[in-house]
Amino acid sequence: MSVITLSIDGQPVAVPAGSSLLQAVRAAGIRLPTLCHLDGLSPVGACRLCLVQVEGVSRLLPACASEASEGLQVQTDTPELREYRRMAVELFFAEGNHECAYCVANGDCELQDVAVTVGMDHSRFPYRWPNRSVDASHPLFSLDHNRCILCTRCVRVCDEIEAAHVWDVAERGAHCRIIAGLDQPWGEVDACTHCGKCVDVCPTGALFHKADGTAEKHPDRERAQHLRRARDQHEWQHR
Amino acid sequence: MSFLDLDEFLFDLAEQVEIVFSPVASDIKTYPEGVDLCLVEGAVANADNLELALQVRRRTAVVVSFGDCAVTANVPGLRNLITPGGRDSAMAALQRSYLELADSQAQIPVAPGVVPELLPRVLPLHEVIPVDVYLPGCPPSAARIRACLEPMLRGERPRLEGPEMLRFG
Ligand code: SF4
Ligand code: SF4
Ligand code: FES
């Protein structure tokens, strides 16, 4: 296995070739806020929270979706990055409808965790208050589009781990949203196996068990990672 | 109510401050001049809210946006969802509640000067006046309120950091 060395915030790190910048940052013991990234799923670089500065590169790079390469000089915590990160979180809140006080995920919400990390006490952007719907057609779960931040974790876990591919992303810009099947009510999509993996990995209160009330959602965000590892290491095979 | 949870700290507070205006703790109807600190709760939903907010800003040194409703519009802001972007949600809300859902005698209440007119959309406080300190929480816990007030009693601005001070809800 070949190893590459690079510098993260001035600190030298060695990681296996093919590692992402995020893996290198973590190897350096630095925690970057992330939302769309989830260990066990492929990276997409959708949320832009893990942005880093690389010397000689004029634009900021999402660490989760960029490959580490030999000799890179990476900065993870400059005033500019901090400002952009906070702005990104404020935009998430301004963009959807996040009334945390009566949200199923209140107390166990990654979006709120990230807001705390970046020190967000209010949004400087005016709220959009879009008119969004709730899909309660599934017998076990519901999807509240008001809370969805389009991280696509549900899309990826359903496709890459469960292999049912119930979810997709439809439309663009302000109309962009998660759809089940061919834009059907979730409960009518035969491909859904009712496994609940999408609910477990959703970072917000967008996907939840029907029985969950305010602050009752307790997701299992490591589920994808555990299943991926078990599969890769053939933990289920008879010996 | 969360403020009352401050328990015995209220005695310390009472020794150091004079409450000059409050919907519950004083009987004064006009917001006075030269106020040092004001905790403003609630979203800005009607013409009276807006007028008072502007007055508070003109007459107060430090304005605190107190609680999720003031900071995000929160539950009062839900009426904005009826119309895209909250544009003219007032009319839509009145129509829905007083006309469409009426059992009998459907009519929209109009009483100029008595019932304050709803603003087209419900806004967080900082969208109508500049705010100095934000104290999120629904409600902010007593511990959080105290941690915010104590530095201000010493004339310092509080630094609100971490989940204990910043989480919404
Ligand atoms: S999903 Fe998170 S940020 Fe959004 S309303 Fe719920 S608790 Fe708040
Ligand atoms: S439903 Fe949840 S997991 Fe899926 S895209 Fe929205 S926030 Fe992400
Ligand atoms: S975690 Fe890297 S862009 Fe979302």
Side-chain angles (χ1 to χ4, degrees), chain A residues 126-129, chain B residues 43-46 50 73 76-77 79-81 83-91 118-124 127-128:
Chain A
Y127 292 94
R128 281 184 58 242
W129 285 303
Chain B
V44 183
N46 64 35
L50 178 60
R79 89 151 135 94
N80 295 339
L81 309 185
T83 53
R87 277 182 294 279
D88 211 15
S89 67
M91 211 46 211
L118 299 183
L119 299 177
R121 63 176 115 174
V122 184
L123 297 167
E127 287 193 32
V128 301

Side-chain angles (χ1 to χ4, degrees), chain A residues 97 102 112-113 123 128-129, chain B residues 80-81 85 122 126 167-168:
Chain A
N97 298 310
Y102 70 96
Q112 278 227 48
D113 294 345
S123 166
R128 281 184 58 242
W129 285 303
Chain B
N80 295 339
L81 309 185
V122 184
H126 66 269
R167 284 194 88 89
F168 294 109

Side-chain angles (χ1 to χ4, degrees), chain A residues 143 147-155 178 198 201-204 206-207:
Chain A
L143 165 60
R147 315 299 200 202
C148 178
I149 56 166
L150 297 168
C151 68
T152 72
R153 284 185 185 184
C154 54
V155 179
I178 295 298
C198 54
V201 301
C202 176
T204 67
L207 289 168

Side-chain angles (χ1 to χ4, degrees), chain B residues 20-110:
Chain B
V20 292
F21 184 89
S22 154
V24 286
S26 79
D27 204 18
I28 297 154
K29 304 290 181 234
T30 328
Y31 193 84
E33 302 275 353
V35 178
D36 296 320
L37 176 78
C38 184
L39 308 176
V40 184
E41 60 168 356
V44 183
N46 64 35
D48 280 10
N49 300 157
L50 178 60
E51 200 185 313
L52 184 57
L54 295 170
Q55 207 169 56
V56 163
R57 184 65 277 184
R58 280 196 303 272
R59 302 180 179 175
T60 317
V62 179
V63 172
V64 181
S65 185
F66 185 95
D68 279 3
C69 292
V71 178
T72 74
N74 203 26
V75 174
L78 287 179
R79 89 151 135 94
N80 295 339
L81 309 185
I82 318 177
T83 53
R87 277 182 294 279
D88 211 15
S89 67
M91 211 46 211
L94 291 172
Q95 244 160 23
R96 178 83 185 129
S97 35
Y98 288 99
L99 301 182
E100 289 167 30
L101 296 176
D103 295 325
S104 64
Q105 294 175 328
Q107 61 169 22
I108 291 179
V110 184

